[in-house]
Amino acid sequence: KGRGAIFRKGEVVRTVKEEDFFTALLEEGRKVIAEKFGDDLPPDESDSGDEIIGLTPTEASTQLPGRAARRG
C-alpha cells in the first residue's frame, strides 16, 4: 500500500512512505549503533544511500550453489 513498517525487537518503531523507507531504515540503524556504542563514532557524512553495489559474480563465485549448479 505504499508504506512500510520498521521494527525493532518485535515492535513497530515507525511507519514510512515507500519512497522514504531506505533512508528511514538507515536512520534507525544509526540510532541503534549510537545507543550501543555511544557517540564515540562520528556520523558518516559520505553515506548518501546512493552507492551502487554490484551483484555480478566474481571469479571465486562463478559456481552456483545447490540445485542451480546441478541444472547448469
Side-chain angles (χ1 to χ4, degrees), residues 36-59:
K36 184 167 183 150
F37 298 105
D39 292 328
D40 297 336
L41 300 173
D44 185 5
E45 299 297 328
S46 66
D47 184 14
S48 65
D50 294 333
E51 293 83 18
I52 297 174
I53 301 171
L55 298 177
T56 57
T58 61
E59 287 182 36

Side-chain angles (χ1 to χ4, degrees), residues 3 6 13-14 16 18 20 22 27 30 32 37 40-41 43 45-46 49 51 54 57 63-64 66-68:
R3 298 185 63 77
I6 298 175
V13 176
R14 56 196 275 207
V16 294
E18 185 176 2
D20 300 329
F22 183 70
E27 289 171 5
R30 286 187 183 105
V32 170
F37 298 105
D40 297 336
L41 300 173
E45 299 297 328
S46 66
E51 293 83 18
Q63 180 69 352
L64 296 173
R67 276 200 232 162

